[in-house]
Amino acid sequence: MTNLILPPATIGIIGGGQLGQMMALAAKTMGYKVGVLDPTAAAPAGQVADFQIVAAYDDQAAIDELAARSDVLTYEFENVDVNALAKHADLVPQGTKLLEITSNRLTEKTFIRDVAKVPVAQFMAIHSAKEFADAIGRITLPAILKTVSGGYDGHGQWSVDNEADVAALLADFPTGTLILEQRVPFKKELSIMVTRDANDRVVFWPIAENVHVNHILKTSAAPAVLSAADTAKIQQIATSIANSLSLRGVLGIELFVSDDHVWVNELAPRPHNSGHYTIEATNISQFEGHIRSITGLSLPVITAQAPALMLNLLGDEIQQAREDFVNHPEWHFHDYGKAAIKRDRKMGHITVIGDDNSQKLDEWSQTHGQR
């Protein structure tokens, strides 16, 4: 059981991006103080925190300082230096094992298949061009080749759809340990956010249906339109994974579903982009749920107020949204306050509630998409 940590205790967050920002806002609302470690001065989370330590994520002295000034530590992304954090494992309710599992795709897929014992697409470890060539005979195309660590939003990934893709990769093969995954014939991409509270009770949020463009999440609609059987199957998968991890904090689970099958794609050991809709659409957001779980508080059953649609604002879409916000009182507009606008960079998001508003937001996105 997680030790009970009550306000005005200090929560230290490693990582200062938008997920950290929304964690911090939830914590501040509950009366906690918040410290952030991030190498970028005035990072999004740093803008709303009580203090920010400006240092690299693997800076042991900086992590030591954050730990000394905090009553509990958490993180907003997977690529935290496990060795640097291990020294303060007693302050990390999520533990470092969760990071070790989810920061390496091979370790993660093996855990999903062999420990949680839930469905995952066929995969193989790849260490050389020869192993890749051999694996192509065992993994049915289409497939995808990925780096085992790092990489996000399509970075560090190569599509292997046909023999031409195989030849191109063999001619200029990536270095390092890789993973080859079969592309499963899915009809929908889904996600579910799950946590366990102080009483080890598993709590999950409504399942979202996600649309990706160029490997980057564009929209999440919740609740997803699913059969009762698929909903129950996904909730059981989430429960199995959460209990296998002795989970604390929120875990994002990405899934694929077809007519008669569900596969787990990836795990995220923290709140997830596709769960942003929960800020407005559910009684407890994924961010408040995360804070409650790591501080030893209980959680109620999660309920949804109405259907919701979340739209990521990428690159210069944020500029158009800032200008148009005045004409859209139905928008719940989130601007992360990032200093530099870059193509494909997540700059903010919009959530709307109700089917009519979802249609209007979709139309706005089609008209004003990233240019």
Side-chain angles (χ1 to χ4, degrees):
M1 181 172 177
T2 303
N3 293 331
L4 182 61
I5 300 168
L6 295 173
T10 298
I11 298 171
I13 302 174
I14 301 172
Q18 63 267 22
L19 295 175
Q21 183 186 71
M22 288 179 269
M23 280 185 204
L25 289 169
K28 292 292 292 178
T29 298
M30 298 165 69
Y32 290 98
K33 291 189 167 48
V34 176
V36 171
L37 170 63
D38 194 277
T40 303
Q47 295 171 26
V48 300
D50 294 276
F51 66 90
Q52 179 183 343
I53 299 169
V54 180
Y57 301 125
D58 60 354
D59 186 323
Q60 186 68 64
I63 289 178
D64 291 348
E65 180 185 349
L66 183 66
R69 299 174 67 178
S70 303
D71 298 286
V72 63
L73 294 176
T74 187
Y75 38 80
E76 66 139 19
F77 65 108
E78 291 90 316
N79 300 317
V80 176
D81 189 298
V82 173
N83 293 327
L85 193 59
K87 180 178 176 183
H88 306 288
D90 59 322
L91 292 178
V92 187
Q94 294 150 281
T96 56
K97 185 66 176 175
L98 177 61
L99 276 177
E100 292 171 5
I101 290 170
T102 57
S103 62
N104 182 294
R105 289 188 174 95
L106 274 171
T107 307
E108 179 178 282
K109 297 281 186 183
T110 303
F111 166 83
I112 294 167
R113 182 188 65 194
D114 298 345
V115 180
K117 298 187 184 304
V118 297
V120 65
Q122 188 180 7
F123 65 92
M124 291 182 66
I126 304 294
H127 301 93
S128 66
K130 183 182 184 306
E131 285 190 3
F132 173 68
D134 292 342
I136 289 300
R138 300 167 63 185
I139 299 275
T140 305
L141 297 184
I144 186 164
L145 185 69
K146 301 178 182 179
T147 55
V148 295
S149 60
Y152 62 96
D153 291 346
H155 299 285
Q157 299 185 13
W158 298 267
S159 292
V160 190
D161 295 332
N162 49 49
E163 291 301 326
D165 290 338
V166 173
L169 277 163
L170 288 173
D172 184 20
F173 199 71
T175 58
T177 303
L178 305 165
I179 180 172
L180 183 66
E181 302 174 11
Q182 183 182 18
R183 280 191 195 272
V184 295
F186 66 89
K187 290 193 173 180
K188 292 182 178 181
E189 294 183 76
L190 307 173
S191 58
I192 186 170
M193 308 302 117
V194 63
T195 191
R196 298 195 320 160
D197 69 8
N199 300 312
D200 295 337
R201 188 172 62 90
V202 174
V203 178
F204 29 72
W205 281 262
I207 300 163
E209 180 173 350
N210 305 316
V211 174
H212 290 78
V213 178
N214 298 325
H215 303 287
I216 303 172
L217 180 66
K218 191 57 187 172
T219 62
S220 293
V225 178
L226 293 170
S227 68
D230 279 344
T231 298
K233 188 183 298 184
I234 290 167
Q235 290 175 343
Q236 184 54 55
I237 285 171
T239 299
S240 297
I241 292 173
N243 285 331
S244 296
L245 290 166
S246 299
L247 183 65
R248 285 292 179 267
V250 165
L251 180 78
I253 304 174
E254 297 181 40
L255 310 111
F256 298 132
V257 64
S258 69
D259 290 333
D260 58 357
H261 203 80
V262 175
W263 301 266
V264 174
N265 179 32
E266 290 185 352
L267 307 179
R270 33 73 183 173
H272 191 266
N273 191 174
S274 64
H276 291 352
Y277 78 90
T278 63
I279 297 173
E280 287 84 23
T282 58
N283 56 327
I284 299 289
S285 76
Q286 64 166 346
F287 299 101
E288 182 177 342
H290 182 82
I291 299 300
R292 284 177 178 248
S293 180
I294 65 170
T295 57
L297 296 170
S298 59
L299 278 91
V301 172
I302 304 300
T303 58
Q305 298 175 24
L309 178 69
M310 186 282 301
L311 170 73
N312 267 335
L313 296 170
L314 305 177
D316 60 10
E317 289 175 350
I318 190 69
Q319 298 279 42
Q320 188 68 50
R322 288 167 178 165
E323 295 174 12
D324 291 352
F325 184 28
V326 66
N327 300 315
H328 291 277
E330 74 278 10
W331 284 5
H332 297 281
F333 179 52
H334 296 256
D335 189 328
Y336 304 148
K338 294 183 179 180
I341 295 176
K342 299 177 183 177
R343 183 171 182 81
D344 292 336
R345 191 182 195 191
K346 294 170 183 170
M347 302 298 300
H349 74 267
I350 298 167
T351 299
V352 293
I353 307 298
D355 292 332
D356 289 346
N357 289 331
S358 294
Q359 183 176 346
K360 291 177 186 175
L361 182 59
D362 185 64
E363 291 169 355
W364 181 91
S365 177
Q366 296 298 322
T367 304
H368 299 292
Q370 180 173 263
R371 295 176 297 282

